Amino acid sequence: MARSQIIGTGSYAPEKVLTNADLEKLVDTTDAWITERTGIRERRVAAPDEATSDMAVQAARRALEMAGVRPEELELIVVGTVSPDMPMPSCAALVQAKLGAKRAFAFDVAAACAGGLYALTVADQFLRTGQVKRALVIGAELFSRMVNWEDRNTCVLFGDGAGAMVLAPTEDEERGLLSSHLHTDGTLADILCIPGGGTRKSFSEEVLRDKLHTLHMNGREVFKFAVRALADSTHEALAANGLEPRDVTHVIAHQANLRILEAVLQRLELPLEKCWLNLREYGNTSAASLPMTLDEANRAGRLKEGDVVAMMAIGAGMTWGSAVMRW
Ligand code: UT7
């Protein structure tokens, strides 16, 4: 059975930079607190007329250009997002139209910050079975419109952006996405959620007053869970391919918190130098984070043919997982 290979990557971050110093003027926080507790120094914020699909399309065009694939050649578009332009249709449908990818069927995958990895895994299944030959996977998120800008516990963490990958099948036994291992624990839904604005608590004065349409998080619980879950799923993914942590050339991880990544890599006995970091510049861009990080590492010329790339991501749900790829 053919494996999926990533033949192009792209990313996009809005122009506007919001620094920790800017946040000091909005909430009771300091640059020192944010830097020490998270590793984040700044993040990007979308322009008022910019929506998630606009960012997704920018990232997609860059990935398609690198891959040398025309939009009309695409047969599948999967967008990982929980911040679509509107509840329906999907962000992916809007992206399909803007790209002019007429042949592609398109849908969103909602797995919060694990959305990039979930979307990649879903697209991979269609490639493995031979149902599609060219797929576009995107992670795009506009959390600046979903956080409560009065809540210092959350608003300092997130940023806007999009990342994209173009997938094609490869018969090369040595290369491609070897396997991915996804997990969900819905009993933890309440530690990271947007409680209002859906069908449980639809929009009302109460929802708006109590800001239930914004992101709520128990940071400490998410932190503890993330460290254990990411380390375990990465061990699982490596073992499934007969690999050890020492075989890993690069770690491409969801960028939530530098301390989370340090703790995970310590558990895996991997040096932090193997992990491409950009949370300092972008913060947590949710589903966009993993594909944006992959694109940066790729464009920096870091990824060489045959390198073992370990990917990991975690988000609300809780959803998480790890994948192993031979570049
Ligand atoms: O993709 C998954 C999405 N979410 C995450 O990855 C988040 C995971 N969690 C985290 O990254 C960390 O838990 C945080 C960065 C959110 C918080 O760091 P922490 O070391 O766990 O801090 P804490 O929640 O234990 O809070 C310590 C103190 C508290 O004050 P008291 O109760 O000790 O007086 C907070 O109120 O820090 C306070 N605090 C802040 N102070 C200044 C919380 N946010 C801020 C802030 N500025 N922005």
Side-chain angles (χ1 to χ4, degrees), residues 65-86:
E65 191 187 1
M66 186 191 284
V69 170
R70 284 175 290 114
E72 313 86 72
E73 294 175 70
L74 291 171
E75 291 160 303
L76 168 65
I77 300 174
V78 189
V79 179
T81 189
V82 285
S83 51
D85 296 28
M86 52 187 102

Side-chain angles (χ1 to χ4, degrees), residues 211-222:
K211 296 204 166 24
L212 300 178
H213 59 299
T214 63
L215 192 140
H216 287 56
M217 181 177 72
N218 180 335
R220 240 175 260 186
E221 288 302 314
V222 173

Side-chain angles (χ1 to χ4, degrees), residues 27-30 33-34 37-38 113 152-153 156-158 192 217-220 222-223 254 256-257 259-260 284 314-316 318:
V27 286
D28 180 16
T29 191
T30 60
W33 191 97
I34 303 171
R37 300 284 179 127
T38 70
C113 300
R152 67 177 186 175
N153 290 295
V156 304
L157 303 175
F158 296 95
L192 181 53
M217 181 177 72
N218 180 335
R220 240 175 260 186
V222 173
F223 190 110
H254 167 52
N257 184 320
R259 285 161 50 223
I260 293 180
N284 179 347
I314 185 156
M318 294 299 284

Side-chain angles (χ1 to χ4, degrees), residues 148 150 202-214 216:
N148 174 359
E150 291 169 3
S202 56
F203 271 107
S204 63
E205 277 180 26
E206 181 213 345
V207 165
L208 291 176
R209 186 195 62 220
D210 297 340
K211 296 204 166 24
L212 300 178
H213 59 299
T214 63
H216 287 56

Side-chain angles (χ1 to χ4, degrees), residues 189-204:
D190 60 345
I191 66 173
L192 181 53
C193 63
I194 296 178
T199 56
R200 176 66 54 197
K201 286 188 173 140
S202 56
F203 271 107
S204 63

Side-chain angles (χ1 to χ4, degrees), residues 91-240:
C91 184
L94 304 176
V95 169
Q96 188 249 22
K98 285 181 195 174
L99 288 175
K102 291 194 186 102
R103 289 177 58 216
F105 64 101
F107 59 91
D108 290 354
V109 166
C113 300
L117 187 64
Y118 265 62
L120 172 64
T121 305
V122 169
D124 175 50
Q125 307 306 308
F126 285 98
L127 271 113
R128 276 177 191 257
T129 59
Q131 193 175 333
V132 308
K133 297 269 182 254
R134 293 286 179 277
L136 174 64
V137 174
I138 302 173
E141 218 83 83
L142 210 162
F143 269 32
S144 66
R145 305 231 170 95
M146 294 168 58
V147 294
N148 174 359
W149 287 102
E150 291 169 3
D151 176 15
R152 67 177 186 175
N153 290 295
T154 51
C155 76
V156 304
L157 303 175
F158 296 95
D160 303 332
M165 315 170 228
V166 177
L167 304 188
T170 173
E171 298 294 341
D172 187 337
E173 289 288 305
E174 302 296 318
R175 299 183 71 190
L177 186 59
L178 305 185
S179 67
S180 50
H181 304 262
L182 304 182
H183 299 279
T184 304
D185 185 350
T187 65
L188 298 173
D190 60 345
I191 66 173
L192 181 53
C193 63
I194 296 178
T199 56
R200 176 66 54 197
K201 286 188 173 140
S202 56
F203 271 107
S204 63
E205 277 180 26
E206 181 213 345
V207 165
L208 291 176
R209 186 195 62 220
D210 297 340
K211 296 204 166 24
L212 300 178
H213 59 299
T214 63
L215 192 140
H216 287 56
M217 181 177 72
N218 180 335
R220 240 175 260 186
E221 288 302 314
V222 173
F223 190 110
K224 275 192 293 184
F225 186 82
V227 172
R228 202 177 56 237
L230 290 175
D232 288 353
S233 65
T234 304
H235 273 304
E236 178 192 11
L238 291 171

